[in-house]
């Protein structure tokens, strides 16, 4: 529930995500809960904001008990076989990616439409491949923040492909995730988690009216709460620019 976790949202994140381009959100990080962060991400996608799915280990080399480098990862598909930084960043910005703390996941529609691409509304074929070095409880397909198909998870070291048909709505986005299970070596997070970046329906930033309405209401409430937190935190300071940013974000949510 978004309303129960508002105080955990960085004060300026929502205005930035609503008003700016190329904003990313770390869905996978050892110091936050993947489901909680993902629920916030879903709301932003549901209002048509293509916030980038990101991951970061956030480890400390001078601490004894922290995750190893690479425990949280983002994989992006390059346009060419030559791996270079600029192509990688472009792929991340285009959403040709997935984030994970262990499981590997690949989601396709009609055999060729992948993470970051665009699909038309209507009935479409899907294939969903999952491989993991640790057990995964369940695999799901998500449309506009709602799980529309759920499959039994996989065993340690198992490679499984799911396939079938999906009824794609008139707008919004579709993605896949693999979650849950016992955390065992080499995983170093609370539970296994992998999530694809969205495939957008008809065009990037499209929305489904009811999902957009609900998300807008929840985000408006969250911004009001964050504004109150900011005023209390910076009491006596001049935060006019910050408050104006909140106002502009709220105005944007009304459109």
């Amino acid at each position: 529930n978004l309303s129960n976790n508002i105080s955990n949202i960085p004060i300026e994140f929502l205005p930035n995500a609503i008003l700016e381009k190329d904003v990313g959100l770390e869905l996978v990080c050892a110091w936050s809960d993947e489901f909680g962060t993902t629920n916030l991400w879903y709301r932003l996608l549901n209002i048509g904001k293509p916030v980038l799915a990101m991951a970061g280990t956030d480890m400390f080399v001078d601490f004894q008990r922290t995750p190893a480098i690479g425990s949280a990862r983002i994989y992006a598909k390059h346009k060419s076989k030559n791996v270079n930084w600029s192509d990688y960043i472009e792929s991340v910005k285009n959403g040709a990616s997935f984030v994970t703390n262990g499981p590997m996941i690949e989601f396709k529609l009609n055999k060729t439409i992948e993470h970051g691409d665009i699909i038309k509304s209507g009935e479409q074929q899907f294939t969903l491949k999952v491989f993991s070095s640790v057990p995964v409880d369940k695999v799901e397909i998500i449309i506009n923040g709602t799980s529309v198909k759920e499959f039994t998870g996989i065993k340690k070291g198992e490679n499984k492909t799911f396939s079938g048909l999906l009824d794609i709505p008139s707008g919004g986005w579709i993605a896949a995730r693999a979650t849950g299970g016992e955390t065992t070596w080499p995983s170093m997070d609370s539970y296994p988690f992998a999530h694809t970046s969205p495939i957008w329906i008809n065009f990037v930033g499209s929305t489904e009216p009811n999902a957009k309405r609900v998300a807008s209401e929840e985000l408006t409430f969250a911004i009001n709460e964050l504004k109150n937190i900011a005023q209390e935190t910076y009491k006596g300071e001049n935060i006019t620019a910050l408050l104006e940013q909140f106002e502009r974000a709220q105005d944007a949510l009304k459109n």
Side-chain angles (χ1 to χ4, degrees):
N1 190 321
L2 185 62
S3 62
N4 294 333
N5 297 288
I6 292 173
S7 61
N8 294 325
I9 302 173
I11 287 177
E12 294 186 65
F13 173 73
L14 282 183
N16 286 336
I18 292 168
L19 298 172
E20 306 297 336
K21 295 181 179 179
D22 295 334
V23 174
L25 178 60
E26 283 191 349
L27 305 188
V28 180
C29 178
W31 313 114
S32 58
D33 178 67
E34 283 82 3
F35 279 119
T37 308
T38 299
N39 284 334
L40 173 61
W41 184 54
Y42 288 170
R43 269 65 171 189
L44 292 166
L45 296 180
N46 282 351
I47 63 168
K49 298 298 178 180
V51 173
L52 307 175
M54 304 292 290
T57 305
D58 196 16
M59 61 84 65
F60 303 89
V61 294
D62 56 346
F63 280 16
Q64 181 182 5
R65 298 183 64 185
T66 63
I69 295 174
S71 297
R73 299 186 179 194
I74 176 169
Y75 288 88
K77 186 173 183 178
H78 289 61
K79 293 186 298 183
S80 66
K81 293 182 179 180
N82 297 321
V83 178
N84 62 73
W85 181 250
S86 60
D87 280 354
Y88 172 75
I89 293 300
E90 183 179 356
S91 294
V92 170
K93 287 184 176 182
N94 290 337
S97 60
F98 70 92
V99 295
T100 183
N101 59 20
M104 309 296 284
I105 187 168
E106 180 186 73
F107 182 50
K108 289 186 179 182
L109 296 174
N110 292 345
K111 298 181 180 180
T112 59
I113 306 299
E114 301 181 86
H115 324 157
D117 290 339
I118 295 171
I119 189 71
K120 292 182 179 180
S121 302
E123 190 174 73
Q124 309 287 358
Q125 292 182 326
F126 74 86
T127 55
L128 175 53
K129 298 179 180 180
V130 182
F131 170 79
S132 181
S133 59
V134 295
V136 172
D137 280 350
K138 62 182 177 180
V139 179
E140 299 169 278
I141 295 176
I142 311 296
I143 295 181
N144 294 326
T146 299
S147 177
V148 296
K149 285 190 181 294
E150 182 176 321
F151 308 97
T152 303
I154 60 175
K155 299 176 182 178
K156 177 180 179 180
E158 189 176 8
N159 187 339
K160 187 177 287 188
T161 299
F162 307 92
S163 61
L165 294 174
L166 282 174
D167 186 17
I168 309 297
S170 60
W173 55 275
I174 178 171
R177 69 187 186 192
T179 62
E182 183 182 1
T183 297
T184 59
W185 177 261
S187 179
M188 295 185 181
D189 208 338
S190 302
Y191 48 83
F193 182 93
H195 207 302
T196 71
S197 289
I199 296 172
W200 289 93
I201 302 169
N202 294 320
F203 60 90
V204 174
S206 74
T207 58
E208 191 281 320
N210 187 60
K212 181 180 180 180
R213 177 187 59 79
V214 172
S216 296
E217 291 173 355
E218 292 181 325
L219 290 171
T220 297
F221 177 81
I223 287 176
N224 280 328
E225 291 298 302
L226 288 171
K227 186 192 300 184
N228 293 335
I229 292 172
Q231 290 173 321
E232 180 64 27
T233 301
Y234 300 111
K235 185 179 294 184
E237 302 291 333
N238 183 355
I239 58 169
T240 302
L242 177 58
L243 295 178
E244 288 177 351
Q245 192 177 31
F246 280 125
E247 294 296 332
R248 289 193 293 118
Q250 288 178 313
D251 288 342
L253 287 172
K254 296 175 183 177
N255 297 329

